Amino acid sequence: QVQLVESGGGLVQPGGSLRLSCAASEIIFSYYDMFWYRQAPGKKRELVAEIGRDGSESYSDSVKGRFTISRDNSQNTLYLQMNSLKAEDTAVYYCRARSILIEETYWGQGTQVTVST
């Protein structure tokens, strides 16, 4: 019954922007640390950004200054604002929720982002 559903992916030109969303259901959203990962063809899944229960943020070196992670606890939704997109950002992007207290982790199904002319 727990679901994380990503949306907002698509095809954009280099230099363009997208905003990804991750809608959570059947969890107490504010109890979870939240993460965005991505996986490109032929590469391992990598952590892109994270935001804690306290609102603290961190980013991978490859996206610092271009991406912003945020959360709206009243709407049970996680966001990733992606600016100045590059071809190297092309990947499937995944949402992850983690509760340390109850030792549970959930993953979304992923949404495709393609950056190309």
Side-chain angles (χ1 to χ4, degrees), residues 10-44:
L11 175 64
V12 296
Q13 294 184 333
S17 297
L18 285 173
R19 182 168 61 194
L20 306 183
S21 299
C22 171
S25 61
E26 303 297 328
I27 65 171
I28 303 176
F29 187 74
S30 63
Y31 289 4
Y32 287 77
D33 302 311
M34 301 297 297
F35 307 81
W36 285 103
Y37 288 77
R38 67 186 181 188
Q39 187 166 22
K43 300 182 67 176
K44 68 176 183 178

Side-chain angles (χ1 to χ4, degrees), residues 1-6 22-29 32-34 76 95-99 102-109:
Q1 277 289 299
V2 174
Q3 285 193 312
L4 302 177
V5 180
E6 300 97 334
C22 171
S25 61
E26 303 297 328
I27 65 171
I28 303 176
F29 187 74
Y32 287 77
D33 302 311
M34 301 297 297
N76 281 14
C95 174
R96 178 193 176 205
R98 179 191 68 185
S99 171
I102 63 176
E103 299 180 334
E104 291 186 345
T105 296
Y106 302 100
W107 290 88
Q109 84 290 344

Side-chain angles (χ1 to χ4, degrees), residues 36-98:
W36 285 103
Y37 288 77
R38 67 186 181 188
Q39 187 166 22
K43 300 182 67 176
K44 68 176 183 178
R45 188 171 298 185
E46 65 173 346
L47 177 63
V48 175
E50 58 186 290
I51 184 166
R53 294 186 299 149
D54 62 356
S56 60
E57 307 165 28
S58 65
Y59 301 88
S60 68
D61 288 340
S62 62
V63 307
K64 283 180 180 176
R66 300 189 297 121
F67 291 9
T68 303
I69 190 171
S70 61
R71 63 192 295 165
D72 185 343
N73 288 344
S74 70
Q75 296 294 318
N76 281 14
T77 303
L78 174 73
Y79 300 97
L80 185 67
Q81 179 66 46
M82 309 165 68
N83 298 326
S84 302
L85 284 162
K86 306 174 181 179
E88 308 91 86
D89 297 317
T90 296
V92 177
Y93 284 72
Y94 298 91
C95 174
R96 178 193 176 205
R98 179 191 68 185

